[in-house]
């Protein structure tokens, strides 16, 4: 019996118990047994629909975040090709870390793994269907983009200012709020930002006595950049994220008087 599926076991014991009951109670017990067996089979046949519905509900709880990440991690390269590598990684990560554990809790552990691609497709549809506010027009010029990022931080309540075009030591914007200093490097790119930017802003945080460090870009980030950011405490942000950014000490370094230009 241990090798049988839960449905097969339910049917087996229903027939055994129902058969015993029908010996004593006759046709009434036999009819009841048949009804229960039909209900078990219908429930089994309806399992794929319930599985898809559960995945859809989980994805919809996170639909705004998924849609925003989809926007942030997809971009057109210099040749007009849509580059989606960052979004595809994000989508798979969401399924692995968020959807699968909840699915397994609901008794679908034996059912979900072979249907990973089906779950990914459901997440894609949910993210695509979510309506987001129109994306702001971002400046093409790098200096103007730095000013744009500083303005977004100002909207979020930070006291922000660009450092200027030269001698910034990897820092494009300095922002302060609640006694913490944020050091920002801005990258207006047509491709994912690499780990060099993470290295530069981490060093800039030392030079400018920063409590937080971030690379802000209109595009996504390479896996190498994400890995290095995880070990250095550098935030990797899309400019949309600046409006919701809150002060939080990330660098773990003690503040010292900054050397201002």
């Amino acid at each position: 019996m241990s090798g049988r599926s839960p449905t097969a076991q339910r049917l087996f014991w229903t027939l055994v118990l129902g058969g015993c009951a029908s010996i004593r109670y006759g046709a009434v017990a036999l009819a009841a047994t048949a009804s229960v067996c039909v209900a078990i089979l219908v429930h089994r046949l309806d399992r794929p629909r319930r599985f898809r519905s559960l995945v859809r509900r989980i994805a919809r709880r996170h639909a705004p975040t998924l849609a925003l990440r989809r926007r942030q991690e997809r971009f057109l390269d210099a040749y007009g090709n849509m580059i989606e590598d960052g979004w595809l990684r994000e989508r798979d990560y969401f399924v692995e870390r968020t959807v699968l554990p909840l699915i397994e809790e609901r008794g679908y552990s034996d059912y979900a793994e072979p249907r990973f691609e089906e779950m990914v497709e459901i997440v894609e549809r949910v993210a695509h269907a979510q309506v987001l506010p129109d994306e702001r027009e971002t400046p093409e010029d790098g200096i103007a983009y730095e000013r744009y990022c500083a303005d977004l931080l100002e909207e979020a309540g930070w006291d922000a200012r660009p450092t200027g075009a030269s001698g910034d030591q990897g820092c494009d914007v300095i922002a302060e709020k609640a006694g913490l200093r944020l050091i920002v490097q801005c990258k207006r790119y047509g491709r994912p930002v690499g780990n060099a930017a993470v290295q530069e802003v981490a060093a800039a945080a030392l030079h400018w006595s920063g409590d937080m460090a971030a690379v802000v870009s209109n595009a996504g980030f390479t896996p190498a950049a994400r890995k290095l950011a995880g070990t250095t405490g550098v935030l990797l942000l899309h400019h949309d994220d600046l409006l919701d950014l809150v002060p939080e000490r990330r660098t773990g370094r003690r503040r010292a008087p900054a050397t201002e230009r």
Side-chain angles (χ1 to χ4, degrees), residues 30-178:
L30 192 62
T33 301
S35 298
V36 172
C37 289
V38 169
I40 292 172
L41 290 172
V42 169
H43 186 268
R44 175 65 182 183
L45 293 173
D46 191 48
R47 199 180 190 208
R49 184 198 63 79
R50 288 183 286 112
F51 169 78
R52 291 191 296 271
S53 178
L54 178 58
V55 175
R56 196 176 299 111
R57 287 199 304 274
I58 295 170
R60 283 174 177 167
R61 292 176 203 160
H62 303 274
T65 301
L66 287 168
L68 182 59
R69 296 298 293 158
R70 184 175 183 271
R71 172 191 282 179
Q72 294 171 349
E73 296 292 346
R74 298 167 73 247
F75 66 95
L76 287 173
D77 66 11
Y79 307 102
N81 302 309
M82 178 60 72
I83 305 301
E84 300 185 297
D85 297 18
W87 163 240
L88 299 183
R89 286 192 298 269
E90 183 82 10
R91 192 181 62 185
D92 290 353
Y93 176 85
F94 175 76
V95 172
E96 291 171 359
R97 297 299 182 91
T98 303
V99 177
L100 275 176
L102 294 174
I103 287 292
E104 290 171 356
E105 285 179 8
R106 297 291 297 270
Y108 288 93
S109 55
D110 63 319
Y111 192 79
E113 189 171 346
R115 292 165 175 80
F116 186 86
E117 291 303 321
E118 183 177 358
M119 290 187 284
V120 165
E121 291 174 4
I122 292 172
V123 171
E124 177 68 37
R125 288 196 295 270
V126 169
H128 180 69
Q130 177 70 25
V131 177
L132 289 174
D134 291 338
E135 189 170 25
R136 303 176 183 218
E137 289 295 327
T138 57
E140 296 288 340
D141 176 71
I143 302 300
Y145 185 65
E146 294 169 13
R147 178 71 259 174
Y148 174 74
C149 291
D151 289 344
L152 292 179
L153 285 167
E154 290 278 354
E155 286 188 44
W158 293 79
D159 180 12
R161 62 180 176 85
T163 58
S166 62
D168 56 24
Q169 303 295 335
C171 171
D172 296 322
V173 175
I174 295 177
E176 294 182 337
K177 185 178 182 180

Side-chain angles (χ1 to χ4, degrees), residues 160-230:
R161 62 180 176 85
T163 58
S166 62
D168 56 24
Q169 303 295 335
C171 171
D172 296 322
V173 175
I174 295 177
E176 294 182 337
K177 185 178 182 180
L180 296 184
R181 175 172 289 176
L182 169 68
I183 305 302
V184 181
Q185 184 170 123
C186 305
K187 295 294 185 184
R188 180 67 168 86
Y189 275 12
R191 63 185 186 280
V193 178
N195 61 356
V198 179
Q199 295 170 348
E200 291 169 4
V201 80
L206 279 174
H207 178 76
W208 293 96
S209 299
D211 301 295
M212 302 171 63
V215 180
V216 178
S217 177
N218 62 306
F221 298 89
T222 65
R226 292 186 180 280
K227 184 176 181 179
L228 184 59

